[in-house]
């Protein structure tokens, strides 16, 4: 029996080991040190941002970005309903309320026209919108031309949740570089990992310095531990930054492998009426590949394929359950078209990891072809 094929397992090896061991031997084991500084410079350069602050998670980065934009209780923050809970949780940490907006059907990212209507309504009601946080879903950038135009028109800061989109571009511009701040995640399942960690990016030096200050318990730069406001322990360890530096050197190769896998899925489903691939515009890093199934045309449901692949020890997963359907956000306002619920119900994310071997790929394609062949 061959092993289980996972959705998006970490891709680490000798290079990562060498970098982490070197950092360990250097004695810089704290959440500060030369690897943190170098990692910040390298990710900033890669993302086209002037400033970068290494943090303990993407969620921490989102929280800091919101605080630096002045978001607080009594305000609302607009986020897509189709996202990972971290986007909305970070809003809740500030005391502000999330307002959920539905998705564009082709990419699953926030629907700009619907965002425009929402900002209009909120303004008419006299609500203060502290920020808008578009999410680059599965590595496909949100529609920034429209979103930036809207946020500028309404005078609302845009924070880019680029947790999933490191290495992606939108009209030639790198993900993470849009808006007041962008936030990348290096969680274990992301396109590259520090096992846990994140990076806050900004073109605004003062905003970046504010986040750096808040991430170190808001300790003043004096010897006697002076604190004038509440801070957080959100810095990244030097050991993990070293791991990140090794991963960054391999990022293009890892993106190439994910894109090749996506191309193989595109080819496989090209002739299947009623199956579309979600998102992945030109420039997307292809972090995760999802299909959307129209059972009226295929005669089968996404979960039928999921069950078939599970029996072959191949992991798949539904697209995110929308935030407005989550019990924890049951009371929140949501502006809906039904797209996110449709994607949740009829979508399926397929194994997309850069660690997958040719043999793994063959197994997935064979099992899927086998499933498709059995259907009428
Ligand atoms: C992973 C993820 C986050 C959170 O990042 P962590 O590093 O796990 O805290 C935030 N938003 C989205 C869309 C994500 O996928």
């Amino acid at each position: 029996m061959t092993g289980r094929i996972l959705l998006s397992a970490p891709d680490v090896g000798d290079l990562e080991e060498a970098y982490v061991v070197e950092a360990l031997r250097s004695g810089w084991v704290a959440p500060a040190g030369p690897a943190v500084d170098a990692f910040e410079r390298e990710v900033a350069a890669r993302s086209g941002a002037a400033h970068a602050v290494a943090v303990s998670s993407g969620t921490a980065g989102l929280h800091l970005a919101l605080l630096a934009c002045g978001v607080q209780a009594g305000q609302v923050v607009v986020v897509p309903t189709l996202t990972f809970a971290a986007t909305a949780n970070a809003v809740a940490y500030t005391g502000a309320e999330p307002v959920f907006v539905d998705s564009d059907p082709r990419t699953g990212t926030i629907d700009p026209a619907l965002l425009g209507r929402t900002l209009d309504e909120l303004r008419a009601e006299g609500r203060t919108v502290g920020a808008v946080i578009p999410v680059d879903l599965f590595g496909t950038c949100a529609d920034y031309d429209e979103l930036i135009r809207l946020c500028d028109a309404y005078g609302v800061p845009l924070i880019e949740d680029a947790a999933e989109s490191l290495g992606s571009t939108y009209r030639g511009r790198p993900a993470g570089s849009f808006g007041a701040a962008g936030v990348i995640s290096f969680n274990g399942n992301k396109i590259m990992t520090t096992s846990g960690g994140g990076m806050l990016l900004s073109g605004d030096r003062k905003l970046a310095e504010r986040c750096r200050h808040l991430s170190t318990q808001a300790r003043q730069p004096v010897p006697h531990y002076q604190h004038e406001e509440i801070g957080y322990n959100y810095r990244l360890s030097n050991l993990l930054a070293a791991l990140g530096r090794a991963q960054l050197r391999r990022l293009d190769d890892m993106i190439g492998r994910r894109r090749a896998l996506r191309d193989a899925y595109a080819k496989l489903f090209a002739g299947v009426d009623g199956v579309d691939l979600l998102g992945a515009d030109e420039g997307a890093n292809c972090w995760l590949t999802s299909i959307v199934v129209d059972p009226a045309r295929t005669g089968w449901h996404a979960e039928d394929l999921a069950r078939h692949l599970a029996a072959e020890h191949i992991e798949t997963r539904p697209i995110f359950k929308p935030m407005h359907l989550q019990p924890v956000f049951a009371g929140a306002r949501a502006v809906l078209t039904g797209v996110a619920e449709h994607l949740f119900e009829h979508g399926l994310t397929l194994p997309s990891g850069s660690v997958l071997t040719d043999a793994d790929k063959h197994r997935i394609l064979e099992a899927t072809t086998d499933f498709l062949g059995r259907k009428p």
Side-chain angles (χ1 to χ4, degrees), residues 296-329:
R297 282 153 70 199
T298 54
W300 50 270
H301 286 83
E303 63 195 67
D304 297 326
L305 175 58
R307 216 173 299 114
H308 178 85
L309 293 177
E312 302 289 329
H313 307 282
I314 297 169
E315 184 183 28
T316 61
R317 211 171 285 167
I319 292 173
F320 293 128
K321 181 171 182 174
M323 289 303 112
H324 71 272
L325 297 177
Q326 301 289 353
V328 68
F329 294 117

Side-chain angles (χ1 to χ4, degrees), residues 56-60 62 83-84 86-87 135 161 163-164 184-187 189-190 197-198 287 320:
S56 53
S57 71
T59 312
L62 288 169
T83 184
F84 180 56
T87 321
V135 175
D161 184 341
E164 305 174 355
I184 296 167
S185 166
F186 305 120
N187 193 26
N189 62 345
K190 295 294 190 329
W287 175 53
F320 293 128

Side-chain angles (χ1 to χ4, degrees), residues 35-43 186 192 199 236 241 244-245:
V36 175
D37 299 340
F39 190 43
E40 287 180 341
R41 283 194 303 272
E42 289 162 3
V43 175
F186 305 120
M192 67 165 249
M199 192 72 76
L236 185 69
R245 292 188 71 200

